[in-house]
Amino acid sequence: MKKKQTVAEEPGEMIPSGSSNEKEEDEAPVKAKRSKPEEAEGEEVVYHPVKLSRSDLYRPPSAEELNQLKEAESLFHCSLLKMQMEELLKEVALSERRKGQVDSFIQTVTKLLQTVPDSPEVEVSDLSWLSSAVKVPFLLVPKTTKGKFHMAPPASVDLVGSYPLGTCIKPRITVDLAVTIPADVLHPKDVLNQRYPRKRALYLAGLAQHLASSSDIGTMRYSCLHGNRLRPVLLLTPPFKDSSSFTLRVHACPPPGFFKPSRFHPQRNNIRTDWYTGSQTSLSEWSEPPTPHYNSSILGDLLPRAHLQFLSAASSQCSAFADGVALLKVWLRQRELDQGTGGFNGFLASMLLTYLLTTHRISNTMTAYQLLRNSLNFLASTDLTVNGISLARDPDSTAPSLADFHNAFQVVFVDPSGHLNMCADMTACTYKQLQAEASVSMQFWDDPTVDGFHSLLMTPKPMIRTSDHVFQLCELVKLQSSCKKLNLLSELMDHSGNYVHTALPFILSLLQRGLGERIHLLTHSLSPEPEWSVESDAPKHKAQPPLSFGLLLNPELATSVLERGPPADSPKAAEFRQLWGSRSELRRFQDSAITEAVLWEGTSMCQKQLVPKQIITHLLQLHADIPESSVRYVGAMVDDVIRTGSEEPSTGEEESLLVVQSYDDLSRKLWRLEDLPLSITAVQGAHPALRYTQVFPPRPLKMDYSFFDREKTSRSLVPKEGKPCPAYITPITVICHMEGSGKWPHDRIAIRHIRAAFHIRLGELLKKHHNYTCRPCPTHLDVWKDGLVFRIQVAYHREPQVLRESVTAEGLQVVRDNEEAQALEMATIHKPLLTSTLHGLQQQHPCFGAACRLAKRWLGAQLFSDDMTEDTADLLVASVFLQPAPFTPPGSPQVGFLRFLHLLSSFDWRNNPLVVNLNNQLTAADYTEIKNAFMASRESLPVMFIATPKDKKLSMWTKRAPSVQILQRVVMLAAESLKVLEQQLMDGGQIQDVRVVMRPPLDAYDVLIHLNPKQVPLLSQAVDPPTVTFGRGVMAGSVTQTGGALPVIDYNPVALYLAELRESFGDLALFFCDPYGGTVIAVLWKPKAFIPTPFKTSQMTARSVEVTGEQVNAIPNVEAILEDFRIMGQGLVKSVEARTEKWSF
């Protein structure tokens, strides 16, 4: 069930049996099966044991073996992690066969490139020499520039990048080829006004035109190196069938040392304002604005060969260098940090390891595991936005200082030449994200209770699942007006007109100021490297997916509606007013301070959750001219399915709080009751509403008496004939423990009678002292209080023990566990404990309850509520909060729900127990004990095994359900729902709404029973609630605190009908229904029920007789069963629809 997302096997890597290709040494050996010797050429191969001499058997381990043993013991929680990493490295490494294909394709391309024909010299702007089938990969803005150009064969063709270094890994294999432009094509002054980048693009177009005629090339496309439009590259793929398996990237470069590096100092200008704007300005070169980004992109073309030599020298000293880089690349890829503009790509990863080697932070003898660990530790503890680092040993006198680089760029990491900042395009936010990811990884790496390997290297972290809130800028063309508004002409010139990358750092710093301490982290998506065919023009800057931004919220402050500023007379007040504009106003506070403040809208919790949205849209509109319509905020889209109330929308937080407050009041009143024969020792809630996880929490109801008749004896309310089913009233279970005493009887029947007497007495006292309407029953006491019903159950702590004891015919007393005792313990001990524990978790993580409600709404909508009980679902969501690695705990219900789906779909239920460490009570030793006990008795345990501190070996919450088949279906639907939902949330162009994951596929079921909506009491909670014109006996208005007639409690015809169906036909079929307003019951026949059985008079319910020759068999009588469905549900069932003819086979 686990998906190896990182290292998908490539189509070209499979070798069919019997093919002539022999297996290379570097591929992972196939496991040898020892079950039976294989037959070769018809002869049996006999295995003989290898005979070792005594000295060999007892030979002491060699130094290397000792070293490995010591390392496995000290570095890894267990040797498993070491083995997993070694397997991963084998999986991502290129096979010899693949390397052979790459090498032969490189040779072919190199030969072709050396035969490029010369062309006559023309002006740079004259493209008449190019055929119309090939376009220039450059946006010619402004239109013209000076200079002459002609095609000529390259001065040299060299392999550069990760492939010759040995750090190239699957699945995206990219091989870099540097083609040197002949010196006579270029001019030393070409660094000015984009002349060199245009000549470079023309040269690439010339190469593309030459290669287009060759049959040895598969496809040809243009792209840009790291998304930089000044550095187009030509992508070539081989012509054979697995052509998508690797890509050859052709770079055009100037001859080494052709331009002086000092020309590219970050303080110097190489783009003149009058050329760029087309208007005459009389600025001298020294008063022109500097162009650091333009300078670094040209300088980057001068250095690839030097960088390769430098990295080769470092890697030759450290044997694990290539493996260390491979692991770091996998780590970066899973976090979506390695691809696109301003990312931390594989080249930077190699340079980082080299820096650590040269500064002796890591030694040459370290393993790949240690290299990865030390790199992450360095990233987590070093802030390159404040203190840059440099690889230059002794830079020349013209090289800029680190301070010069810091003035021009946000992140500084200087290359060995001392002139180039390799992180020129990276924003401070991206580096902060990298730092945060590294520190989270370091935290859980040392935690023995976390599966470090999977969290580190195998779990993908897409933005929608990592960030609490996400928003997108949809119309990127609007960023042009942002550049105007923010007055960024010189920056725009430096970025050669790319307004997206020009405005981005300014928008990020604006949002960072506005959101302040409400967020821990602000991240943004990296613009993907554009790709287009050689026949079409270069795409415009706006032709890329929307820019996405992620917020990691600080739950304490994120929902605050007040932004309190400085005092009115302080110098910072003007700055505050400038940031917030007209929203800022003077306010007087209770501490009599008068300060600037901004007040945001929000009364209910679900509105307060979107305060960051109000801040972001306001700031973008005010300072960057980006209208609210261009901002797509994906913070609480999924929450709609649990939202109720039209005037005052709520996702249940306020209702849950009311229920808890009312319960606390009742609990206090129960404690204070006197005149009871025995005192109360504990009052405990045992209902999901009391831990904030009830999908739709009970609402206080005011009954409309005209809807009901009065019942004669107790004067309680009964709905009139012909009226719809009354509103459903949830009884909220409360367990009331009485003190132990010698007077309690030792007989199960007598104990029940005493409990019933207590219920009567409690009812009398609550009526007398507090005027609550009460109805006592033998099993419980219902109390009508504040428009809610509390169901009090008296418990006696020795009763389960009494139920286990019985006397045999010989008069011996025996103690046997039984279901009745277990059920009583579950109701009176385990459920109250779970409720109080999860109530505590809700206090730590304010969005825990809402995440549970979303998860249970999804389970209900997909018809799994009976198999995945409320307690099971709550524990699954709790594990997402308690063991979030590799993430941080969810900060919004939506992201909690997405991770719940991910847990369901990707956890290996077959081979692992899910340990939910409530209250942090389990130690590492407990984890090992749970795992060992689980493995020892796997076959007898439930398929979904959930261990908690109070239940390490039995998984009592999942003992009854789900079954293997149901769990498989849950896993499949969770995976599909996650995929669809993440697409829905990240792609604004989707036609369907987010509720699509809540609409179950009904085509797998055999029979559908459609119900009459009037008799479905929870109809308003349906995923797509119909408009109704009838009432259910409830009035609007405030609820009376005490007294009043008792309504019908816990009456849900759908649930009662389902229970009857399961009792009557449970051996023939499975029944499924959405408990939250579902109007369809889906029926699935059990295959075994339709196997004909020998005729027996005792087993003829719902069966008909079939006589074939001598045999008399009984088979289910489907027509009669369907008729029974109708008769049993008369008034509730609208129609019965038989979907399949399965029973006729």
Side-chain angles (χ1 to χ4, degrees), residues 103-157:
D103 292 340
S104 71
F105 187 56
I106 291 170
Q107 281 179 337
T108 310
V109 173
T110 309
K111 279 182 194 153
L112 282 169
L113 289 173
Q114 280 156 352
T115 59
V116 173
D118 287 279
S119 73
E121 192 169 70
V122 291
E123 285 293 323
V124 168
S125 47
D126 175 10
L127 303 179
S128 57
W129 59 277
L130 257 184
S131 73
S132 59
V134 173
K135 294 280 193 288
V136 181
F138 202 85
L139 285 171
L140 300 169
V141 183
K143 207 78 184 148
T144 54
T145 189
K146 289 181 192 164
K148 303 266 190 237
F149 177 79
H150 68 276
M151 271 313 283
S156 68
V157 179

Side-chain angles (χ1 to χ4, degrees), residues 105 216-221 235-240 243-248:
F105 187 56
D216 293 329
I217 308 287
T219 57
M220 270 200 304
R221 296 175 69 72
L235 304 180
L236 310 175
T237 55
F240 40 86
S243 60
S244 59
S245 59
F246 66 88
T247 307
L248 193 60

Side-chain angles (χ1 to χ4, degrees), residues 670 676 678-686 733-741 744-745 750-759 762 777-781 791-803 821 823-832:
L670 285 170
L676 278 169
L678 292 173
S679 62
I680 294 172
T681 57
V683 178
Q684 294 175 308
T733 317
V734 178
I735 306 294
C736 194
H737 288 271
M738 306 311 272
E739 69 176 329
S741 157
W744 277 99
I751 290 175
R752 280 178 203 158
H753 287 160
I754 301 263
R755 282 209 335 248
F758 268 118
H759 291 141
L762 280 171
C777 305
T779 53
H780 58 262
L781 164 72
R791 179 159 283 180
I792 298 173
Q793 294 179 7
V794 166
Y796 166 48
H797 68 96
R798 281 192 46 77
E799 189 177 359
Q801 185 58 29
V802 173
L803 289 177
L824 185 68
E825 264 185 354
M826 178 67 98
T828 58
I829 298 169
H830 301 306
K831 279 199 177 178

Side-chain angles (χ1 to χ4, degrees), residues 63-245:
E64 190 182 344
E65 286 168 338
L66 272 173
N67 200 8
Q68 284 187 348
L69 288 166
K70 189 169 186 299
E71 182 189 284
E73 192 178 352
S74 60
L75 292 181
F76 302 88
H77 305 317
C78 56
S79 52
L80 182 66
L81 181 58
K82 180 172 190 255
M83 284 148 57
Q84 285 170 318
M85 286 202 175
E86 283 167 3
E87 280 303 308
L88 174 70
L89 286 168
K90 281 182 201 165
E91 189 117 357
V92 295
L94 273 59
S95 66
E96 290 302 319
R97 177 170 151 272
R98 171 69 71 240
K99 286 179 186 166
Q101 289 177 342
V102 172
D103 292 340
S104 71
F105 187 56
I106 291 170
Q107 281 179 337
T108 310
V109 173
T110 309
K111 279 182 194 153
L112 282 169
L113 289 173
Q114 280 156 352
T115 59
V116 173
D118 287 279
S119 73
E121 192 169 70
V122 291
E123 285 293 323
V124 168
S125 47
D126 175 10
L127 303 179
S128 57
W129 59 277
L130 257 184
S131 73
S132 59
V134 173
K135 294 280 193 288
V136 181
F138 202 85
L139 285 171
L140 300 169
V141 183
K143 207 78 184 148
T144 54
T145 189
K146 289 181 192 164
K148 303 266 190 237
F149 177 79
H150 68 276
M151 271 313 283
S156 68
V157 179
D158 304 294
L159 259 181
V160 291
S162 59
Y163 183 71
L165 192 62
T167 58
C168 186
I169 60 166
K170 298 189 292 194
R172 295 190 199 123
I173 305 174
T174 309
V175 181
D176 296 283
L177 209 56
V179 175
T180 308
I181 305 171
D184 58 347
V185 174
L186 302 173
H187 187 279
K189 281 204 162 177
D190 281 348
V191 291
L192 287 176
N193 298 349
Q194 295 184 7
R195 285 177 213 167
Y196 161 71
R198 290 184 188 210
K199 284 188 179 179
R200 181 184 187 285
L202 288 169
Y203 196 78
L204 272 181
L207 296 182
Q209 177 170 301
H210 173 63
L211 295 172
S213 57
S214 166
S215 60
D216 293 329
I217 308 287
T219 57
M220 270 200 304
R221 296 175 69 72
Y222 288 131
S223 180
C224 295
L225 188 62
H226 312 318
N228 183 345
R229 294 306 187 86
L230 292 178
R231 302 177 76 182
V233 288
L234 183 60
L235 304 180
L236 310 175
T237 55
F240 40 86
K241 63 179 184 297
D242 50 357
S243 60
S244 59
S245 59

Side-chain angles (χ1 to χ4, degrees), residues 250-541:
V250 179
H251 308 250
C253 303
F258 187 82
F259 300 121
K260 280 191 199 150
S262 57
R263 285 242 35 162
F264 306 107
H265 192 288
Q267 305 298 314
R268 290 198 61 171
N269 168 283
N270 282 315
I271 290 191
R272 304 291 186 256
T273 312
D274 51 2
W275 170 79
Y276 188 77
T277 58
S279 56
Q280 290 299 312
T281 55
S282 53
L283 292 171
S284 67
E285 186 193 334
W286 301 108
S287 55
E288 290 266 8
T291 53
H293 288 88
Y294 173 81
N295 296 353
S296 69
S297 54
I298 296 183
L299 190 55
D301 276 350
L302 278 168
L303 298 165
R305 294 177 196 78
H307 288 159
L308 177 63
Q309 285 167 358
F310 176 75
L311 289 170
S312 300
S315 74
S316 62
Q317 293 168 1
C318 175
S319 56
F321 182 84
D323 287 348
V325 173
L327 288 178
L328 192 51
K329 279 183 172 183
V330 172
W331 182 85
L332 288 163
R333 180 166 300 162
Q334 294 291 31
R335 283 148 186 78
E336 298 186 344
L337 284 164
D338 66 328
Q339 297 286 322
T341 311
F344 201 88
N345 49 44
F347 167 65
L348 285 171
S350 307
M351 283 293 192
L352 177 72
L353 274 185
T354 314
Y355 173 78
L356 296 177
L357 278 168
T358 52
T359 53
H360 306 296
R361 310 260 178 130
I362 52 181
S363 78
N364 293 332
T365 54
M366 283 185 176
T367 59
Y369 169 94
Q370 290 166 300
L371 295 184
L372 175 65
R373 191 185 167 101
N374 282 293
S375 313
L376 295 186
N377 197 21
F378 175 78
L379 285 171
S381 57
T382 315
D383 190 352
L384 299 188
T385 59
V386 182
N387 302 312
I389 54 175
S390 172
L391 277 163
R393 289 278 178 81
D394 39 1
D396 59 43
S397 57
T398 60
S401 66
L402 279 178
D404 291 333
F405 281 119
H406 276 297
N407 289 336
F409 305 107
Q410 294 195 334
V411 185
V412 177
F413 182 8
V414 182
D415 85 318
S417 74
H419 287 273
L420 172 67
N421 176 19
M422 298 179 288
C423 292
D425 292 335
M426 193 181 287
T427 61
C429 283
T430 302
Y431 187 76
K432 293 276 190 238
Q433 180 188 357
L434 182 69
Q435 258 198 305
E437 288 289 2
S439 70
V440 168
S441 295
M442 290 309 294
Q443 276 166 25
F444 67 73
W445 191 317
D446 289 328
D447 186 347
T449 63
V450 173
D451 180 351
F453 175 70
H454 267 94
S455 304
L456 263 178
L457 299 170
M458 300 302 283
T459 311
K461 294 188 68 176
M463 180 186 276
I464 189 72
R465 218 180 297 158
T466 308
S467 304
D468 298 323
H469 283 188
V470 172
F471 71 94
Q472 294 176 322
L473 292 185
C474 298
E475 299 167 68
L476 292 177
V477 72
K478 292 275 191 288
L479 291 172
Q480 272 181 311
S481 48
S482 305
C483 290
K484 275 192 196 135
K485 177 98 176 182
L486 294 159
N487 198 14
L488 302 178
L489 173 70
S490 51
E491 285 86 353
L492 192 60
M493 205 159 76
D494 182 20
H495 283 87
S496 308
N498 189 336
Y499 47 83
V500 179
H501 296 159
T502 306
L504 182 62
F506 292 90
I507 285 173
L508 289 167
S509 70
L510 171 72
L511 296 176
Q512 199 88 51
R513 271 179 71 198
L515 291 162
E517 292 188 341
R518 289 172 188 271
I519 58 169
H520 290 309
L521 192 64
L522 171 66
T523 64
H524 64 91
S525 62
L526 307 172
S527 308
E529 300 171 7
E531 265 190 40
W532 67 99
S533 91
V534 290
E535 293 134 33
S536 48
D537 289 316
K540 298 270 196 290
H541 295 303

Side-chain angles (χ1 to χ4, degrees), residues 657-675:
L657 190 61
L658 276 177
V659 171
V660 172
Q661 286 169 343
S662 183
Y663 158 75
D664 287 341
D665 179 52
L666 176 67
S667 169
R668 278 194 298 274
K669 285 173 176 165
L670 285 170
W671 277 106
R672 291 190 196 132
L673 286 181
E674 289 164 4
D675 302 338

